[in-house]
Amino acid sequence: MNKTQTKSEPNVVVAYFKRNVGTIIGLILLMVIVSVYTPKFMTVPNMLNLLRANSVNAIISCGMLIAILMGEIDISVGSTVGLSGIIGAYMITNMEAPIPVTVLCCLLVGAVIGAINGVAIAYLKVPAFVATLATQSIGRGLTEIISNGITIRVTNDSFCKIGTASIGGISVIIFYAGIILFLTWVMLNKTRFGYYIYALGGNKVAAQYSGVNVKLVNMIPYVFIGLLCGLGGLIWCTRLGSAAATLGQGFEMDAIAAVVIGGTSMSGGTGTVGGTFIGLLIISVITNGLNLMNINSFWQEVFKGIIILAAVIFDVVRKNRGQKH
Amino acid sequence: MMKKVLKRLLSGAVVGVMALSLVACGGSGDDSKPADDTAQEDQEEPEAPTDDTEKDVADDVEDEVGDDAKEGGYTIGYSPYTLKNEYFTAVLNGVQTACDELGCELIYFDPQNDPTKQASQIDDMIASGIDALIYLPYDAGGARTVLQTCRDAGVKVINIDTVVTEADYDLVDGILASDNLQLGELAGQWVAENHPDGANILICHLQVAESCVINVEGFWKGIKDNVENPDAFKEVQVVEGGGDTEVTFSAVADVLQAHDDINVIYCINDTSALGAVQAVEDAGLTGKIDIIGKDGAPIGKQAIKDGKMVQSSAQRPTYMGYMGVMEAVDVLNGKEIEFNVSIPCYSITKDNIDDFDLTAWDSLDEE
């Protein structure tokens, strides 16, 4: 467990920088490079745009972080986003359901998929990768069945406000992401439950012997992840005013990338919300920066891959060094 | 020890059950859907030896068309890129309608944008006895082996929408496709008419699709052929929109940060145009930037009706699918068909939007 206990206020900031020194330097370097190439990058509207474009990824990455902290993974997140989004669009447009009911259903769909994952993984001992691979396929299939391969338009303007409204010129979905990041941080750092999650990823057997209800602690996070995906689907379908069967494709990869770049170990037990946040920013800057610099988007994939690799190598090197001393 | 083994077995079983239920779930989606083959058409004269002249490369081989197939009409296979995209579902509608009318059985699967899946699914179709294949190769350049397999099995191939390379024409029996250059040209003409003094243009591309590359070529041709000063039309940037709403949305939002002089956004389909619409709306530039889609999809038509998009060059997927089956049955019956048919497209703008059915893609009525 790498989680340093916070003692006093200034220490928090110092500790934060210390822990994430590699990624912070990387991020600053990236931002400097992009700023040199295009003056449009370092502007308030573009920064807001950058944050907004990555808000849903931020929300889903919080879920992914928790799964990876437990030493597991959830690759069904993208398809759950798609399913929730398409159900939202279908209900509001084709069934003319009331807004609160639609919102609730979107979240519920996510929670149900999450619960299936959780039960399969925690109680039935299905490996997380396999269980979520299965639900990914189920979710994607259901999305196609419901949408029938057709983009569903959302015509209810007040429903769309959920994703398009802004507060003081700042898009509301940035706030959603901020709240979720904060809640996840509180859960992981300030609650007993969060402590158990770290414990589970660090050493499952030890956690069990110390009296933690391992199965329950293992399952509940998946419901939470599912809820976040439900929210993600809701945001995208209201934000775009439409939902297509392809919604959410590849989201799991972006989320895993953010978490891993943020210094979270794939073997579990080590990682922070703060680190993930920097990982998110790095991915955002790559995408946004290359778009602004008019570089073909295929290169974005290449750069993302290189940076993930660099982050993991950095992580491994750091770990090895830690073991030697 | 024993316990561990048991546990493993159990989890294996659970996965197995899940996999099974998965198959069951998928079943209703992409199962083959046999059409009712009650209406046995009278048009089939059992395989009259070809009296055609040999001028068509297509009908050089007259394979034995199984006589048993005549009993319940023909069996037709349909293989698109994916069924996740409403364009291909519209084609499917046309294919299904034609099969129903002719009393043919229809078999189709979802290749999920994967040429390897598409190839193996076509093998499965051949194994289940299709007489003809309505084929939209995902990889137009790599279709030869699939075509050869069909030819060897005596399956007639009508290649629609995405045309195979010319070197492979000898293995297809008919081609039906939209005029991709014209699709782009119509959009270009709109720009030429509405921005006669020039425009800064953003292209939301799908660069891996050859048809889209031709669309964009046609777009510039449509502009340059119709204006006095072609140099006044500038390509500000080309972004990869993936033909997808959310990808295009993010890309356009970024570009609008970098450039404040964009007048026109040309998207290679209506789905991605919706993303551009939303990004422009977010930037508070609605009405200042003209967004052009392509395909004449229901969502595109609705957006034109709402004043969010200005133009969309319409394709006729339903008609194409319908005609594909008609041609396939003609070939099976030994009739001569025109080998390469180009289906004309038309321009939808706010001026003629009320002439169209907003809910369907296109109709089967002859123009």
Side-chain angles (χ1 to χ4, degrees):
Chain A
M1 267 189 278
N2 250 5
K3 204 165 57 114
T4 35
Q5 241 15 54
T6 51
K7 284 170 200 123
S8 60
E9 283 314 306
N11 266 0
V12 180
V13 181
V14 174
Y16 182 71
F17 276 102
K18 255 191 187 158
R19 200 184 306 125
N20 299 301
V21 63
T23 42
I24 290 179
I25 292 174
L27 176 64
I28 294 175
L29 215 65
L30 264 176
M31 292 177 83
V32 169
I33 294 171
V34 179
S35 305
V36 167
Y37 274 94
T38 164
K40 307 275 184 176
F41 177 72
M42 268 297 176
T43 58
V44 174
N46 187 52
M47 284 300 125
L48 286 177
N49 165 50
L50 181 150
L51 289 177
R52 190 192 53 199
N54 292 280
S55 292
V56 174
N57 188 21
I59 292 170
I60 291 164
S61 297
C62 286
M64 191 61 78
L65 170 68
I66 297 171
I68 294 180
L69 277 180
M70 295 191 295
E72 290 163 357
I73 200 156
D74 187 343
I75 55 166
S76 69
V77 290
S79 105
T80 310
V81 168
L83 183 62
S84 151
I86 212 92
I87 285 183
Y90 186 85
M91 286 184 68
I92 203 85
T93 304
N94 296 25
M95 293 163 63
E96 294 181 6
I99 293 172
V101 177
T102 310
V103 170
L104 219 64
C105 277
C106 286
L107 299 178
L108 200 68
V109 167
V112 167
I113 299 263
I116 296 173
N117 284 335
V119 169
I121 294 165
Y123 290 91
L124 302 173
K125 301 284 175 230
V126 182
F129 185 87
V130 178
T132 56
L133 179 71
T135 42
Q136 178 193 48
S137 185
I138 293 171
R140 202 40 84 194
L142 288 175
T143 309
E144 284 156 33
I145 291 167
I146 293 168
S147 71
N148 208 1
I150 289 169
T151 304
I152 304 178
R153 265 173 67 88
V154 176
T155 43
N156 186 325
D157 281 338
S158 14
F159 181 62
C160 287
K161 281 277 179 300
I162 294 171
T164 55
S166 60
I167 302 170
I170 299 170
S171 167
V172 71
I173 62 175
I174 296 177
F175 289 103
Y176 297 155
I179 293 168
I180 296 294
L181 279 164
F182 179 71
L183 285 180
T184 312
W185 182 82
V186 168
M187 187 177 88
L188 286 177
N189 294 283
K190 301 287 171 198
T191 69
R192 188 158 284 271
F193 189 71
Y195 184 75
Y196 289 158
I197 289 178
Y198 276 103
L200 208 65
N203 188 337
K204 208 172 212 168
V205 183
Q208 199 157 14
Y209 281 126
S210 56
V212 178
N213 184 345
V214 173
K215 284 178 181 162
L216 192 69
V217 172
N218 196 188
M219 186 214 142
I220 298 292
Y222 284 97
V223 180
F224 180 65
I225 297 170
L227 267 175
L228 295 183
C229 296
L231 178 63
L234 177 69
I235 293 175
W236 266 122
C237 100
T238 52
R239 160 121 224 78
L240 294 173
S242 66
T246 50
L247 181 64
Q249 241 164 26
F251 278 22
E252 56 277 1
M253 285 306 148
D254 276 342
I256 294 171
V259 172
V260 170
I261 292 173
T264 307
S265 157
M266 285 305 280
S267 49
T270 310
T272 58
V273 175
T276 303
F277 182 64
I278 296 178
L280 278 163
L281 288 181
I282 288 180
I283 289 193
S284 317
V285 171
I286 297 173
T287 318
N288 174 273
L290 294 189
N291 273 341
L292 293 191
M293 287 153 76
N294 196 1
I295 293 173
N296 190 310
S297 69
F298 299 142
W299 282 104
Q300 291 174 13
E301 311 293 326
V302 176
F303 283 122
K304 252 189 242 172
I306 291 173
I307 288 177
I308 293 172
L309 212 55
V312 174
I313 291 170
F314 185 77
D315 182 55
V316 170
V317 168
R318 196 169 49 175
K319 211 184 257 170
N320 286 346
R321 205 185 287 156
Q323 272 167 0
K324 270 177 209 153
H325 291 302
Chain B
M1 244 344 240
M2 205 51 209
K3 210 170 172 191
K4 222 174 196 175
V5 173
L6 260 176
K7 248 181 196 169
R8 266 205 206 134
L9 279 176
L10 192 71
S11 63
V14 169
V15 174
V17 169
M18 280 185 119
L20 274 179
S21 67
L22 217 94
V23 171
C25 274
S28 60
D30 37 24
D31 234 359
S32 55
K33 298 212 173 108
D36 56 322
D37 24 355
T38 44
Q40 168 70 342
E41 290 298 304
D42 48 355
Q43 87 230 118
E44 45 198 46
E45 334 125 36
E47 195 208 334
T50 30
D51 47 356
D52 321 341
T53 51
E54 296 290 314
K55 67 169 185 265
D56 271 350
V57 261
D59 39 21
D60 49 354
V61 187
E62 177 60 21
D63 280 294
E64 69 296 325
V65 177
D67 282 278
D68 49 326
K70 305 290 191 273
E71 299 304 320
Y74 295 109
T75 305
I76 308 283
Y78 167 57
S79 185
Y81 292 12
T82 166
L83 290 174
K84 248 179 263 182
N85 178 310
E86 59 187 302
Y87 179 80
F88 301 106
T89 23
V91 178
L92 177 62
N93 282 340
V95 169
Q96 182 79 63
T97 311
C99 284
D100 288 349
E101 273 178 27
L102 298 177
C104 293
E105 190 182 326
L106 174 62
I107 296 179
Y108 63 91
F109 302 107
D110 184 355
Q112 300 173 339
N113 286 325
D114 180 346
T116 59
K117 260 186 201 141
Q118 187 173 34
S120 61
Q121 286 174 354
I122 291 173
D123 287 342
D124 292 347
M125 289 181 187
I126 294 172
S128 54
I130 54 167
D131 300 300
L133 176 69
I134 311 298
Y135 184 33
L136 289 89
Y138 184 76
D139 179 7
R144 188 156 187 100
T145 45
V146 169
L147 293 173
Q148 189 64 54
T149 319
C150 289
R151 173 60 53 93
D152 293 345
V155 171
K156 302 291 178 192
V157 177
I158 303 294
N159 171 215
I160 64 171
D161 187 76
T162 311
V163 180
V164 298
T165 45
E166 225 162 314
D168 298 337
Y169 277 14
D170 56 331
L171 290 175
V172 296
D173 299 276
I175 294 172
L176 267 167
S178 297
D179 187 338
N180 278 313
L181 199 69
Q182 192 203 359
L183 281 165
E185 263 185 287
L186 287 174
Q189 275 165 23
W190 188 94
V191 175
E193 278 162 28
N194 291 277
H195 295 269
D197 302 326
N200 295 318
I201 298 164
L202 166 66
I203 311 268
C204 297
H205 216 313
L206 177 62
Q207 295 163 79
V208 287
E210 201 188 335
S211 57
C212 297
V213 175
I214 300 173
N215 290 154
V216 174
E217 257 169 45
F219 176 70
W220 287 110
K221 186 169 180 291
I223 292 176
K224 307 223 153 133
D225 287 356
N226 292 293
V227 293
E228 286 166 8
N229 181 15
D231 296 335
F233 293 82
K234 267 205 340 240
E235 177 185 277
V236 176
Q237 192 165 343
V238 178
V239 293
E240 179 61 33
D244 183 90
T245 316
E246 90 219 11
V247 177
T248 307
F249 168 75
S250 304
V252 173
D254 284 348
V255 173
L256 291 179
Q257 295 297 329
H259 302 279
D260 45 18
D261 55 351
I262 292 171
N263 312 109
V264 174
I265 301 178
Y266 178 60
C267 303
I268 47 75
N269 66 10
D270 288 336
T271 312
S272 57
L274 278 191
V277 165
Q278 208 60 39
V280 167
E281 207 167 294
D282 275 7
L285 295 168
T286 310
K288 297 203 179 85
I289 297 179
D290 289 330
I291 297 161
I292 298 175
K294 197 205 82 191
D295 288 350
I299 44 160
K301 285 191 268 195
Q302 189 61 51
I304 292 174
K305 175 93 178 162
D306 298 344
K308 292 179 171 170
M309 260 167 58
V310 293
Q311 193 267 354
S312 184
S313 301
Q315 304 205 60
R316 307 195 59 197
T318 316
Y319 180 72
M320 199 188 296
Y322 182 84
M323 287 309 291
V325 176
M326 291 295 169
E327 285 202 350
V329 170
D330 278 350
V331 171
L332 287 169
N333 288 332
K335 278 191 200 153
E336 199 176 342
I337 59 161
E338 197 181 331
F339 179 66
N340 196 342
V341 180
S342 190
I343 297 176
C345 45
Y346 48 89
S347 178
I348 302 178
T349 63
K350 68 174 183 339
D351 300 326
N352 65 1
I353 184 69
D354 292 324
D355 302 343
F356 299 100
D357 179 1
L358 294 185
T359 55
W361 197 299
D362 60 329
S363 67
L364 288 175
D365 309 332
E366 286 289 339
E367 278 164 275

